[in-house]
Amino acid sequence: MSLLQLLDNKDYWTEYLEYKRRFLPPENRFIKRLSKFVEKEEYHLIASGLMSGSYHYDLPTKTSINKSGSDKKRIIYRFGWFETMTLKLLTYLLYKYDHKICGNCYSFRRGKTAKDAIDTISRIKNLNQKYVLKVDIKNYFNSIPSSQLVESIAITIDDDQKLCDFLVGLFTEDKAYFYDENKQRTVITENRGAMAGVPVSAFCANIYLDDLDRRFDAMGVNYYRYSDDILIIADTMSQIVEYQNIINEIINIKGLTINEKKLHISRPGEGFDFLGFNFKDGVVDLAESTVNKVKSKIRRKAKSLMRRRNRLGESFDMAASDLAAHFNRKFYDEEHENGFTWSRWFFPSITTAKSLKIIDLHLQQYMRYLSTGRHIKKNYDVRYETLKELGFKPLVGEYYKFISTLCTPPISRPCPA
């Protein structure tokens, strides 16, 4: 049976809904919308049409979103809501092929996470005495040549021709809608690669570099890949050079480009960064770049609120509480459809609250800044207790609460008579 047939089966939609509910609260907007989608069986038209051949996906829309922590833009592609939802279930069902993905790839997998990579790296003996190579692939998702991507799809999905044909057709169209500055829609022709932003793109990003993953796995190298981020740990500099040459060779064959600006070699004792974390002297903390991104976001948001306060004559309490609420959502709320939150990514793996304290102090500084619009002593007339009343929720405190839940011993109960 083709996986495409399961897209019109309500049991699988219900299973997918329950899976998402394990990570998201009932009031989450995505959960509410998905529940309605499943209840009304709004997937039927597309799902049945894909099996019969009467339905063909429309072109995706090419758009850009702000890159996290910078003013740069990231190109993504979006299909319509119903088409996207159908691809989400398909992506969920593609877990069937997870066993074909090499064990040293940690991205977008159900039984293997970034935390597993961080924990495995942390346990390497004499880690502080190692050489480390960090490689980033430039614009990975969208630069994958579609002609080579379909070869990877065919190799991986070798038992479901209908599904394989659907995915090949989806990724070889090489066209997209684009809205210009006058909001006029045109059709552009370009290599779209794995189409960042499309649900099934994560699966494609994993399988496309399987050759590279397996090459290093066979060599027994300490190699870790999370999508476009690669980390290699070695005993000597000569090994690093050898491994870098292998990466260069395969990346070139795959039609990809290494981001030279992010290429970095760390020597023994220097420490290194990976996936937003820093490893040094046996401690896992936030990377400096991670801290700087958060501080930059706090600064920009506070200045925006100060401009609004001056323009509308708002009170300090309103502006400060809005700033606190904004970052409480960023840090803790589970509004994103995959249940991802900033704290959920970092808290399980860091072993110190040092950088969290830096962020806490920065947020306090900018909440106080909203009282005068300047960085002056008078700002400290606003006491810490007042900041808490306005909604400030320190990361340090939340981190230790999280740690305490991991360390609490199970409650012993007497055996029944």
Side-chain angles (χ1 to χ4, degrees):
M1 176 184 289
S2 171
L3 288 189
L4 292 183
Q5 288 178 261
L6 304 184
L7 298 179
D8 200 23
N9 187 318
K10 193 169 185 177
D11 289 342
Y12 286 94
W13 280 102
T14 302
E15 177 186 319
Y16 174 61
L17 175 59
E18 291 307 312
Y19 172 75
K20 301 301 286 186
R21 280 175 170 160
R22 282 160 46 193
F23 304 99
L24 297 167
E27 66 273 12
N28 177 271
R29 286 172 293 181
F30 175 76
I31 288 295
K32 289 180 178 178
R33 199 170 181 187
L34 176 59
S35 299
K36 178 183 175 183
F37 185 82
V38 174
E39 180 184 347
K40 294 189 173 184
E41 300 184 12
E42 294 175 326
Y43 50 81
H44 175 67
L45 177 65
I46 295 177
S48 60
L50 289 177
M51 274 306 297
S52 67
S54 63
Y55 188 90
H56 299 280
Y57 262 59
D58 196 5
L59 297 178
T61 297
K62 179 182 179 180
T63 187
S64 62
I65 59 175
N66 290 326
K67 223 172 182 181
S68 178
S70 75
D71 297 323
K72 296 179 181 178
K73 299 287 186 178
R74 185 166 72 94
I75 300 297
I76 63 168
Y77 295 86
R78 286 177 174 152
F79 286 102
W81 166 253
F82 284 11
E83 292 181 328
T84 296
M85 291 307 300
T86 306
L87 287 177
K88 284 183 181 295
L89 177 60
L90 180 58
T91 303
Y92 173 79
L93 295 174
L94 283 169
Y95 181 68
K96 170 186 176 181
Y97 298 97
D98 190 74
H99 69 282
K100 292 194 172 187
I101 299 172
C102 193
N104 53 22
C105 175
Y106 292 84
S107 43
F108 317 115
R109 301 180 71 176
R110 222 179 291 177
K112 193 180 287 281
T113 67
K115 183 183 184 305
D116 295 317
I118 302 304
D119 290 348
T120 303
I121 293 168
S122 300
R123 289 194 297 268
I124 293 176
K125 190 176 180 180
N126 300 321
L127 180 61
N128 206 43
Q129 299 172 23
K130 305 290 186 180
Y131 290 83
V132 179
L133 171 64
K134 184 181 174 185
V135 177
D136 177 85
I137 302 170
K138 191 174 183 180
N139 190 28
Y140 176 43
F141 281 70
N142 298 338
S143 66
I144 295 175
S146 57
S147 59
Q148 294 190 57
L149 174 59
V150 297
E151 293 176 9
S152 296
I153 291 173
I155 291 171
T156 306
I157 304 174
D158 58 358
D159 61 345
D160 188 340
Q161 192 59 49
K162 205 163 188 70
L163 172 61
C164 184
D165 290 345
F166 166 68
L167 290 175
V168 167
L170 191 73
F171 287 104
T172 54
E173 183 73 22
D174 285 345
K175 291 181 180 179
Y177 293 126
F178 180 75
Y179 289 86
D180 61 23
E181 61 272 10
N182 298 317
K183 302 196 181 302
Q184 295 295 310
R185 192 178 81 171
T186 58
V187 175
I188 59 174
T189 301
E190 63 180 5
N191 177 73
R192 305 170 311 183
M195 293 189 287
V198 173
V200 76
S201 65
F203 173 77
C204 294
N206 279 352
I207 66 173
Y208 187 65
L209 285 179
D210 191 62
D211 292 349
L212 180 66
D213 300 340
R214 294 193 183 280
R215 175 77 173 269
F216 283 108
D217 185 56
M219 294 170 65
V221 175
N222 284 316
Y223 165 100
Y224 309 86
R225 181 168 73 88
Y226 193 95
S227 190
D228 57 351
D229 287 312
I230 298 170
L231 191 82
I232 292 183
I233 299 170
D235 293 322
T236 66
M237 188 62 192
S238 61
Q239 288 178 326
I240 290 291
V241 172
E242 176 191 352
Y243 301 154
Q244 188 174 353
N245 288 337
I246 292 173
I247 290 176
N248 289 341
E249 175 192 348
I250 296 179
I251 291 298
N252 185 56
I253 291 172
K254 290 288 188 178
L256 302 170
T257 305
I258 289 174
N259 188 338
E260 297 294 339
K261 291 181 180 178
K262 294 186 177 180
L263 180 68
H264 186 75
I265 296 174
S266 300
R267 288 164 173 75
E270 290 181 351
F272 59 92
D273 296 343
F274 187 54
L275 302 181
F277 297 90
N278 174 262
F279 299 77
K280 190 171 184 182
D281 299 328
V283 176
V284 181
D285 198 357
L286 305 182
E288 184 179 355
S289 60
T290 301
V291 175
N292 289 339
K293 282 180 184 178
V294 176
K295 289 170 71 175
S296 177
K297 288 179 180 180
I298 291 172
R299 182 173 63 252
R300 289 201 301 268
K301 184 63 178 178
K303 291 190 174 181
S304 172
L305 289 170
M306 193 68 218
R307 289 193 296 271
R308 191 187 76 182
R309 185 185 173 206
N310 290 335
R311 185 175 69 254
L312 302 178
E314 291 178 343
S315 67
F316 159 71
D317 284 8
M318 179 178 289
S321 61
D322 280 359
L323 182 62
H326 178 82
F327 283 96
N328 286 342
R329 288 192 297 272
K330 290 282 186 186
F331 293 144
Y332 314 113
D333 280 5
E334 298 176 333
E335 272 302 308
H336 196 279
E337 65 190 59
N338 63 9
F340 172 82
T341 65
W342 191 93
S343 58
R344 179 172 283 181
W345 178 269
F346 289 108
F347 280 9
S349 298
I350 58 175
T351 59
T352 176
K354 181 180 176 182
S355 291
L356 298 180
K357 185 175 182 180
I358 293 172
I359 294 172
D360 280 344
L361 291 173
H362 198 72
L363 183 52
Q364 291 177 52
Q365 175 188 341
Y366 273 93
M367 286 183 72
R368 290 187 170 105
Y369 157 85
L370 290 169
S371 66
T372 64
R374 293 182 294 166
H375 294 287
I376 57 177
K377 266 188 176 182
K378 183 174 174 56
N379 294 353
Y380 286 89
D381 288 349
V382 180
R383 301 178 62 192
Y384 180 77
E385 290 74 15
T386 301
L387 299 181
K388 294 281 292 256
E389 290 169 2
L390 293 171
F392 173 65
K393 186 189 290 188
L395 283 166
V396 171
E398 295 302 309
Y399 171 66
Y400 283 119
K401 282 182 190 176
F402 172 81
I403 293 298
S404 69
T405 63
L406 301 181
C407 300
T408 302
I411 300 173
S412 61
R413 294 179 175 86
C415 295

